[in-house]
Amino acid sequence: MVRAPCCEKMGLKKGPWTPEEDQTLISYIQQYGHGNWRALPKQAGLLRCGKSCRLRWTNYLRPDIKRGNFTREEEETIIKLHEMLGNRWSTIASRLPGRTDNEIKNVWHTHLKKRLQHNQANREAKRQINENSKNELKMTRNSQQFENSPQQSSSDFSSGVDSSVVTTDNFDMGIKDEYIDSSSETFPRIDENLWYTENLCMPENFKETSTEPEIQFPISTASTTFRSNTDEDMEFWYNLFVGAGEFTELPEL
DNA sequence: AACCAAGACAACCGCCTGATG
DNA sequence: ACATCAGGCGGTTGTCTTGGT
């Protein structure tokens, strides 16, 4: 394949477009259209290559371009589509009227990618806290049980003689990544799907901020997922994730 | 006020594909 | 079938702006 000569070698201008150039291009396209991009700059009197003109028009000057910040809905659409399609910016752009692939690509690299990485790091941190709390709880309950029943041997605990006791064995092997003892009454289970941002909820008295909330409380029961803002639930989750041990008031964000 | 680093975004580059002769 | 061209796409770079020191 023969490569077209680059703009510089042909003495054509590069770099940012001036308002005059923009106006020239707009006027020409409004009058004659853009049937042939390669021929257009010469006919319009622009010292630019056709490719540059096309990009300038499609990414910036087109009348149906939507300028300004992306809405929350647009951002969510991009995130979802990117999850499905990967870096197919033009396909993603076709689903967002008035937005160009270039703009979407820029937004992705400058905002959305970082936000997703941040969310992922948060989820990982929470998961770690959850894991640590789980271990602490496990140890506490085991030691309490040992103190209350000094006559029992440690092998009795792990054999599951008393079904109300959470032992190392039934905790680890019974239900993975869930907070639940064999009576299934005391501890709500964590629905892993709730870690995803769209499923997280904030307590009513939490302040809405533009940044990612630091603490969020996913709640579900063994049978059904629900969202709760009751003090009891908040206290449970606050102690679980923040690890303060003593719950006094909800944190200000 | 001056400088510098980081962020945001416009523009370019190189490759690919489909159309055409 | 092959060569050439135009247009499209995604990755990368360049430039301007902004915020911090």
Side-chain angles (χ1 to χ4, degrees):
Chain A
M1 204 182 102
V2 177
R3 179 153 307 289
C6 77
C7 305
E8 230 164 3
K9 285 176 187 167
M10 294 182 71
L12 298 176
K13 196 177 165 190
K14 285 173 67 177
W17 281 63
T18 64
E20 291 74 26
E21 287 177 310
D22 282 345
Q23 197 48 55
T24 303
L25 183 59
I26 291 168
S27 300
Y28 182 87
I29 290 175
Q30 279 174 347
Q31 201 169 350
Y32 306 104
H34 52 75
N36 184 336
W37 284 112
R38 176 158 284 204
L40 186 147
K42 197 175 179 183
Q43 291 165 355
L46 285 163
L47 285 173
R48 296 273 180 174
C49 67
K51 202 170 188 174
S52 181
C53 293
R54 181 175 58 81
L55 282 173
R56 183 66 182 168
W57 175 256
T58 54
N59 287 337
Y60 204 82
L61 300 176
R62 238 169 51 198
D64 56 331
I65 291 280
K66 194 196 285 182
R67 310 302 308 175
N69 295 335
F70 279 60
T71 65
R72 193 80 187 172
E73 289 71 30
E74 285 176 317
E75 289 180 349
E76 284 169 7
T77 302
I78 293 168
I79 290 167
K80 285 190 175 110
L81 288 174
H82 186 269
E83 201 177 320
M84 291 162 56
L85 303 166
N87 295 356
R88 292 165 67 184
W89 306 116
S90 62
T91 312
I92 294 171
S94 68
R95 303 285 292 274
L96 289 163
R99 301 298 190 181
T100 68
D101 56 349
N102 206 37
E103 202 178 8
I104 290 169
K105 188 166 52 181
N106 284 334
V107 166
W108 172 262
H109 286 303
T110 53
H111 301 290
L112 304 182
K113 192 165 75 176
K114 285 173 195 166
R115 189 190 300 167
L116 282 183
Q117 283 167 350
H118 177 68
N119 285 354
Q120 193 159 6
N122 272 356
R123 280 205 296 274
E124 201 49 51
K126 286 170 188 169
R127 206 186 302 279
Q128 194 56 52
I129 292 168
N130 181 9
E131 191 62 36
N132 292 343
S133 302
K134 197 198 294 187
N135 290 336
E136 280 176 23
L137 182 68
K138 193 162 58 180
M139 290 170 66
T140 304
R141 302 202 102 211
N142 277 342
S143 65
Q144 281 173 352
Q145 183 63 36
F146 186 76
E147 285 165 11
N148 294 339
S149 310
Q151 73 282 9
Q152 283 185 291
S153 69
S154 59
S155 61
D156 288 332
F157 296 129
S158 59
S159 65
V161 171
D162 182 348
S163 65
S164 68
V165 175
V166 179
T167 69
T168 301
D169 288 339
N170 67 21
F171 203 104
D172 285 340
M173 294 167 67
I175 302 168
K176 289 173 186 169
D177 289 324
E178 290 173 343
Y179 258 72
I180 185 167
D181 65 11
S182 54
S183 66
S184 74
E185 300 290 328
T186 317
F187 301 101
R189 299 163 78 180
I190 299 171
D191 177 351
E192 282 299 297
N193 289 330
L194 284 173
W195 290 119
Y196 293 94
T197 305
E198 63 267 25
N199 292 327
L200 288 168
C201 63
M202 293 298 293
E204 279 165 3
N205 53 345
F206 269 35
K207 282 181 180 171
E208 191 68 43
T209 65
S210 59
T211 56
E212 180 71 14
E214 288 177 10
I215 303 163
Q216 296 173 315
F217 302 92
I219 311 264
S220 73
T221 65
S223 57
T224 159
T225 297
F226 68 94
R227 295 171 183 188
S228 171
N229 288 337
T230 65
D231 289 344
E232 291 75 20
D233 287 326
M234 288 302 108
E235 180 177 2
F236 174 82
W237 290 105
Y238 183 88
N239 287 334
L240 181 59
F241 293 118
V242 180
E246 199 173 303
F247 180 82
T248 49
E249 59 184 354
L250 290 168
E252 289 281 326
L253 291 180

